[in-house]
Amino acid sequence: MSSCEINGYEELSQKFKDKLGLEKSPVAVKLVLNEDDIPEGIPKIEEKVRHCEMIQKASQGDIFYATAEEQACKGGAGAIGLMEPPEKVNSGEMYYSLGRFSSLGSAKRTVDAIPKIEPIMKAIAYSPLEKAPFDPDVVVIICNPQQAMQLAQAMVYTLGGRFEADFAGIQSICGDAVAGPYTTKRPNITLGCSGSRKFADIKPDEVIVGMNGENIGCIVNALEAL
């Protein structure tokens, strides 16, 4: 199939599941700049949890939106454009104090390199791809390394080249899997972080793939051709 046109997110999601053998749904993520643009009929999440936990919930069937108020991890909320990151995150102080870096300078250099979305968004909408009542800005897939390999093969199928993963083991599902693909228009694979593995129950054998929502039809076409 040469066309990048596939109609219907239900069909797209099913093709991802069938071709990759996914146990969880791909997650559609929509960044909402203005309150009036919040997709109609989507409820606000009723609990305060982390963005990575919200991705996990959506992969298991939940549909909702969240503002900065519902985001328990303010560093993650800053990466996905819902608020300015806290100063202790921006300065690297938080990660240095956790013992993740040998110096404040190395922590600061790493934090500065994490992708961040601007301007400040009003909300983020989450849905399993097959149920998405909106066009996703980013699609996130929780998968195993073999499935991630198949996705990487699909991503280079048409134009060739090499897949370049970009991560540092912190702010993985927020910065690496959502902000990165959104700002660069390029897919990314990340190995998770301590927070997402602890709070969002990302398993030891799981990795996370983030893709620009505009390109998922092409990726599915490539998966079918391989």
Side-chain angles (χ1 to χ4, degrees), residues 120-141:
I120 302 301
M121 298 292 168
K122 181 65 178 179
I124 308 287
Y126 303 81
S127 171
L129 181 61
E130 65 269 17
K131 298 179 181 178
F134 51 78
D135 293 325
D137 293 308
V138 176
V139 173
V140 178
I141 293 179

Side-chain angles (χ1 to χ4, degrees), residues 32 45 100:
V32 181
I45 191 169
R100 302 285 171 79

Side-chain angles (χ1 to χ4, degrees), residues 20-42:
L20 298 173
L22 296 176
E23 295 182 1
K24 302 173 184 177
S25 292
V27 176
V29 178
K30 179 73 174 177
L31 287 86
V32 181
L33 184 59
N34 301 304
E35 187 171 359
D36 291 343
D37 296 326
I38 294 173
E40 187 175 353
I42 295 182

Side-chain angles (χ1 to χ4, degrees), residues 13-226:
S13 185
Q14 193 60 52
K15 285 175 182 274
F16 272 124
K17 290 179 179 179
D18 290 345
K19 297 301 176 182
L20 298 173
L22 296 176
E23 295 182 1
K24 302 173 184 177
S25 292
V27 176
V29 178
K30 179 73 174 177
L31 287 86
V32 181
L33 184 59
N34 301 304
E35 187 171 359
D36 291 343
D37 296 326
I38 294 173
E40 187 175 353
I42 295 182
K44 182 188 288 189
I45 191 169
E46 296 180 351
E47 55 187 324
K48 190 170 185 176
V49 295
R50 292 161 175 77
H51 163 77
C52 53
E53 293 176 275
M54 296 184 190
I55 292 289
Q56 186 73 274
K57 286 177 177 292
S59 76
Q60 298 171 6
D62 293 353
I63 304 175
F64 54 88
Y65 76 90
T67 67
E69 183 64 27
E70 289 75 50
Q71 297 280 348
C73 174
K74 299 308 181 185
I80 57 178
L82 285 175
M83 60 181 289
E84 291 291 345
E87 180 56 32
K88 285 191 175 183
V89 173
N90 268 342
S91 68
E93 180 183 351
M94 185 186 79
Y95 292 110
Y96 176 57
S97 68
L98 291 172
R100 302 285 171 79
F101 296 92
S102 64
S103 67
L104 184 61
S106 61
K108 172 64 172 170
R109 284 189 291 276
T110 304
V111 168
D112 285 347
I114 294 172
K116 299 175 183 66
I117 295 172
E118 297 179 357
I120 302 301
M121 298 292 168
K122 181 65 178 179
I124 308 287
Y126 303 81
S127 171
L129 181 61
E130 65 269 17
K131 298 179 181 178
F134 51 78
D135 293 325
D137 293 308
V138 176
V139 173
V140 178
I141 293 179
I142 301 170
C143 59
N144 64 42
Q146 180 175 330
Q147 292 161 340
M149 176 201 72
Q150 291 174 270
L151 283 168
Q153 291 172 337
M155 291 168 190
V156 301
Y157 176 78
T158 302
L159 297 178
R162 290 178 62 82
F163 188 100
E164 296 183 8
D166 181 24
F167 59 89
I170 61 174
Q171 294 194 13
S172 63
I173 300 184
C174 51
D176 297 345
V178 172
Y182 180 81
T183 57
T184 67
K185 303 300 182 184
R186 295 194 299 270
N188 194 26
I189 295 175
T190 177
L191 300 185
C193 59
S194 299
S196 62
R197 294 196 180 277
K198 177 180 179 180
F199 297 107
D201 196 29
I202 301 298
K203 304 298 184 186
D205 61 348
E206 290 179 327
V207 299
I208 304 97
V209 181
M211 301 169 285
N212 182 272
E214 298 170 359
N215 299 331
I216 55 174
C218 295
I219 295 170
V220 166
N221 287 343
L223 283 172
E224 293 189 300
L226 283 167

